[in-house]
Amino acid sequence: VQLQASGGGLVQAGGSLRVSCAASGRTFVGYDMGWFRQAPGKEREFVSGINWSGGRTYYLDSVKGRFTISRDNVKNTVYLQMNSLKPEDSAVYYCAAGERLPPLVEYLGKGTLVTVSS
């Protein structure tokens, strides 16, 4: 099973990026998918999650109103649209899947680096 994140990069403050995570090796029927991030010198934090149907989502308070999570179950892919980016959003973003996120992480992908310049 592999979770492959992509779409990170360098963007100026106020800009936008969309990171994607394609899952392979199995389907995640009934599983939550989501994103963690970790900045240098800081603990990993759960940024956003979405359940199988898309009817339940979670956002870290500091990203509410700026980030939007979505998933395409046919493509086995989860997305995180990030708008109005701030320097403090700079981090490595990791895709995750589990029966219930954030406590039950079963799969964690390699990250994609997002850098927001001021």
Side-chain angles (χ1 to χ4, degrees):
V1 177
Q2 191 172 26
L3 299 177
Q4 183 65 53
S6 61
L10 174 64
V11 64
Q12 288 189 332
S16 298
L17 277 177
R18 187 177 80 157
V19 291
S20 303
C21 173
S24 60
R26 62 161 290 172
T27 59
F28 290 96
V29 177
Y31 272 52
D32 289 358
M33 295 189 76
W35 296 90
F36 289 81
R37 70 184 180 186
Q38 188 166 20
K42 295 188 177 181
E43 291 190 356
R44 189 171 66 194
E45 61 182 355
F46 186 57
V47 177
S48 184
I50 187 168
N51 71 339
W52 168 254
S53 70
R56 177 174 53 82
T57 57
Y58 165 87
Y59 296 98
L60 187 66
D61 281 348
S62 61
V63 309
K64 284 180 180 177
R66 300 188 296 120
F67 289 13
T68 303
I69 192 169
S70 61
R71 66 189 291 171
D72 183 331
N73 292 329
V74 174
K75 295 181 178 179
N76 226 16
T77 300
V78 63
Y79 307 95
L80 187 67
Q81 177 67 43
M82 304 183 290
N83 298 329
S84 302
L85 282 161
K86 304 175 181 181
E88 51 265 42
D89 295 317
S90 297
V92 177
Y93 283 71
Y94 299 90
C95 176
E99 287 194 24
R100 179 57 65 104
L101 295 180
L104 299 176
V105 177
E106 296 184 42
Y107 302 96
L108 189 68
K110 294 182 180 179
T112 185
L113 178 63
V114 172
T115 303
V116 185
S117 63
S118 58

